[in-house]
C-alpha cells in the first residue's frame, strides 16, 4: 500500500488523466502488463485474488490517496 502525500497527490492529479469507474468494474488484473498507475482520488476498491480452485480472497481495501498498480508498472 502506498499512501501518497498531499503535495505529490496534487501534482499527480494535475499531470494525469481523470477516469471514473463503475461499481464492480475491474481496474487491474494480476499478471497483465501495466502501462499506468492509478491514484485513487475518491471511493474505495477491493483487492481480490482468485485461487486456482475458484475461491476468491479479499487481500485489501484501498481508499483515497492510495496508488494501484505501482508494482506492476515498475
Amino acid at each position: 500500500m502506498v499512501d501518497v502525500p498531499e503535495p505529490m497527490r496534487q501534482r499527480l492529479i494535475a499531470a494525469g488523466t481523470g477516469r471514473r469507474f463503475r461499481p464492480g468494474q475491474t481496474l487491474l488484473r494480476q499478471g497483465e502488463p501495466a502501462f499506468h498507475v492509478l491514484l485513487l482520488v475518491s471511493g474505495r476498491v477491493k483487492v481480490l485474488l482468485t485461487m486456482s480452485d475458484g475461491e476468491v480472497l479479499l487481500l485489501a481495501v484501498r481508499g483515497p490517496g492510495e496508488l494501484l498498480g505501482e508494482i506492476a508498472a515498475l
Side-chain angles (χ1 to χ4, degrees), residues 35-73:
F35 301 104
H36 58 274
V37 174
L38 301 174
L39 172 64
L40 189 58
V41 175
S42 65
R44 299 213 176 277
V45 297
K46 293 186 283 187
V47 179
L48 303 173
L49 174 64
T50 303
M51 306 297 288
S52 59
D53 64 0
E55 181 181 6
V56 178
L57 302 177
L58 175 64
L59 300 180
V61 175
R62 301 280 183 91
E66 294 186 71
L67 290 177
L68 305 168
E70 71 280 6
I71 301 300

Side-chain angles (χ1 to χ4, degrees), residues 18-40:
R19 280 187 71 186
R20 291 185 181 270
F21 296 93
R22 295 180 312 278
Q25 185 175 355
T26 299
L27 308 183
L28 302 165
R29 290 189 190 279
Q30 182 178 349
E32 289 184 355
F35 301 104
H36 58 274
V37 174
L38 301 174
L39 172 64
L40 189 58

Side-chain angles (χ1 to χ4, degrees), residues 2 4-18 37-39 41 65-67:
V2 176
V4 179
E6 187 61 29
M8 177 61 76
R9 186 180 319 168
Q10 293 306 318
R11 291 196 335 234
L12 290 171
I13 290 170
T17 302
V37 174
L38 301 174
L39 172 64
V41 175
E66 294 186 71
L67 290 177

